Amino acid sequence: MSDLIEVAELSKTFRVRRKGSGPFRRVREEVRAVDGISFTVPHGEMVGYIGPNGAGKSTTIKMLTGILTPSGGRLRVAGLDPARERTRLVRRIGVVFGQRTTLWWDLPLRDSYGLVRRMYRIPEARYRANLERCVELLDLDGLLDVPVRQLSLGQRMRGDITAALLHDPDVLYLDEPTIGLDVISKARVRGFLRELNAEQGTTVLLTTHDLTDIEQLCKRVMVIDHGGLMYDGALAGLHEAGESERTLVVDLERELPPIEGVHGARTVRTEGPRQWLAFPASASAAPIVSQIADAYPLMDLSLREPDIEDVIARMYAGE
Ligand SMILES: Nc1ncnc2c1ncn2[C@@H]1O[C@H](COP(=O)(O)OP(=O)(O)OP(=O)(O)O)[C@@H](O)[C@H]1O
């Protein structure tokens, strides 16, 4: 079976007019929002799509959903050309935007879902089964008769996710699905997505600034910046790409000057008898520990693994 999403040399250029100085007060400029990216996503994969603000994430998603027409390259979702075959495509995809709702503000959830059912012509039995499953797993019981505007952000988000899934899409695009949610709501949404993917095989493309979403949901991550793909691979491999570091936290018997002369590590912080030594994530901690133990009065130690946020910051800094 071919891949569900196929993207080759995809680009999108916006022509914008900006205020200039001098005699030509308005200058025309081209913004290459997406600049020749290629990737494929097989059926059933959960992929994180991350990058800093303005990197080109939303523009990519808009092209994948057929809202924007690409300036160049090739694009297929479920074998369809999104911009040309948008009406057929909407039956195959679900979209959730964390920042705005696709539900009707003044209607109770139940009525919104009824409208979705009619719009997509979802057979009654399938609609009921899907709604029941979402209500149970997303804990929406008791909320179906509440108007959307009265729901909390977390409840509304769960309501939006349900609306996007009633027609059994092959692929779900999630744009910041946990933004602004409290810890419990985040955990519930993540748990639900994991289950959806495992049980229904729904392919998920997830855009987020919350890297815990990625860590908990996606084995594969794509990093975009300035319209180009900087990284596409296993989450674990990001650490190497960002040359990440582990940190050894060392408690000495007493306060001492920064530890020196340890081969392969450097002291990055001291606070009383506690010192922090950084070393490459690919290296073993054992020789570093034994060097310190030989030369210093060691009381205790612990090891901190690199933080993915750190890793990505390093990738951006290293451009
Ligand atoms: N309709 C538009 N007209 C002109 N420029 C645009 C338009 N949409 C996006 N851009 C520009 O294209 C670039 C990529 O924007 P995009 O919204 O895809 O980034 P993003 O990665 O989604 O950012 P964020 O995380 O802030 O949502 C930015 O420089 C943005 O200003």
Side-chain angles (χ1 to χ4, degrees):
M1 192 164 29
S2 61
D3 290 313
L4 185 61
I5 301 175
E6 296 173 84
V7 171
E9 292 299 320
L10 183 69
S11 63
K12 180 71 190 178
T13 306
F14 293 108
R15 282 181 188 80
V16 290
R17 289 163 145 255
R18 291 203 201 286
K19 263 195 181 162
S21 56
F24 305 105
R25 302 252 302 276
R26 289 218 166 254
V27 284
R28 276 173 176 276
E29 254 180 34
E30 285 201 339
V31 179
R32 298 180 74 84
V34 172
D35 198 4
I37 60 171
S38 302
F39 63 84
T40 55
V41 178
H43 288 262
E45 199 166 59
M46 272 183 125
V47 186
Y49 193 43
I50 60 176
N53 292 115
K57 302 179 295 291
S58 302
T59 306
T60 311
I61 303 286
K62 284 179 189 162
M63 288 192 279
L64 289 171
T65 50
I67 297 171
L68 280 176
T69 308
S71 311
R74 208 182 104 87
L75 177 58
R76 285 281 179 281
V77 178
L80 301 168
D81 177 335
R84 291 213 181 120
E85 299 170 280
R86 200 169 155 202
T87 358
R88 286 177 68 195
L89 185 74
V90 288
R91 295 182 181 280
R92 311 287 301 272
I93 64 172
V95 188
V96 177
F97 295 102
Q99 315 258 32
R100 63 193 145 91
T101 184
T102 47
L103 300 166
W104 285 264
W105 203 240
D106 292 313
L107 293 185
L109 280 177
R110 195 188 298 283
D111 295 4
S112 276
Y113 295 155
L115 287 170
V116 171
R117 181 176 86 76
R118 263 170 275 160
M119 265 165 48
Y120 286 98
R121 297 199 188 98
I122 308 168
E124 182 67 29
R126 206 167 107 197
Y127 167 77
R128 275 183 192 286
N130 285 343
L131 183 57
E132 242 169 58
R133 195 188 70 221
C134 286
V135 165
E136 189 197 326
L137 294 176
L138 285 167
D139 205 12
L140 284 174
D141 216 9
L143 296 174
L144 288 179
D145 296 308
V146 179
V148 169
R149 67 185 141 74
Q150 284 176 20
L151 298 176
S152 74
L153 186 62
Q155 293 167 340
R156 201 217 75 204
M157 174 56 67
R158 287 182 269 137
D160 260 298
I161 293 175
T162 301
L165 292 172
L166 292 172
H167 63 295
D168 279 331
D170 297 318
V171 55
L172 181 64
Y173 300 109
L174 295 160
D175 191 1
E176 300 283 356
T178 60
I179 198 162
L181 303 192
D182 61 40
V183 180
I184 294 169
S185 296
K186 277 185 186 186
R188 186 167 285 146
V189 167
R190 287 174 189 147
F192 173 79
L193 294 174
R194 261 197 304 267
E195 199 157 326
L196 174 80
N197 175 255
E199 285 185 3
Q200 310 279 314
T202 309
T203 306
V204 176
L205 190 64
L206 170 73
T207 294
T208 182
H209 281 97
D210 187 335
L211 295 170
T212 316
D213 286 345
I214 305 282
E215 285 176 324
Q216 295 196 357
L217 296 173
C218 309
K219 287 197 188 77
R220 173 181 171 197
V221 61
M222 299 193 285
V223 182
I224 186 173
D225 195 17
H226 296 301
L229 265 193
M230 292 175 72
Y231 179 82
D232 180 358
L235 181 59
L238 246 192
H239 293 301
E240 279 159 40
E243 289 170 357
S244 63
E245 292 185 315
R246 298 157 91 191
T247 310
L248 195 64
V249 186
V250 174
D251 287 325
L252 301 175
E253 273 172 18
R254 57 187 180 280
E255 187 169 341
L256 285 171
I259 294 172
E260 276 183 353
V262 176
H263 185 68
R266 61 184 207 292
T267 306
V268 289
R269 187 177 156 201
T270 63
E271 204 179 285
R274 179 167 284 192
Q275 303 208 10
W276 286 257
L277 284 92
F279 62 100
S282 51
S284 160
I288 295 162
V289 173
S290 73
Q291 287 177 73
I292 298 170
D294 284 350
Y296 290 88
L298 187 59
M299 288 274 289
D300 197 5
L301 50 82
S302 64
L303 193 58
R304 288 204 188 141
E305 293 302 325
D307 190 339
I308 189 135
E309 247 166 282
D310 237 40
V311 173
I312 288 164
R314 272 166 200 275
M315 282 183 77
Y316 294 149
E319 293 175 315

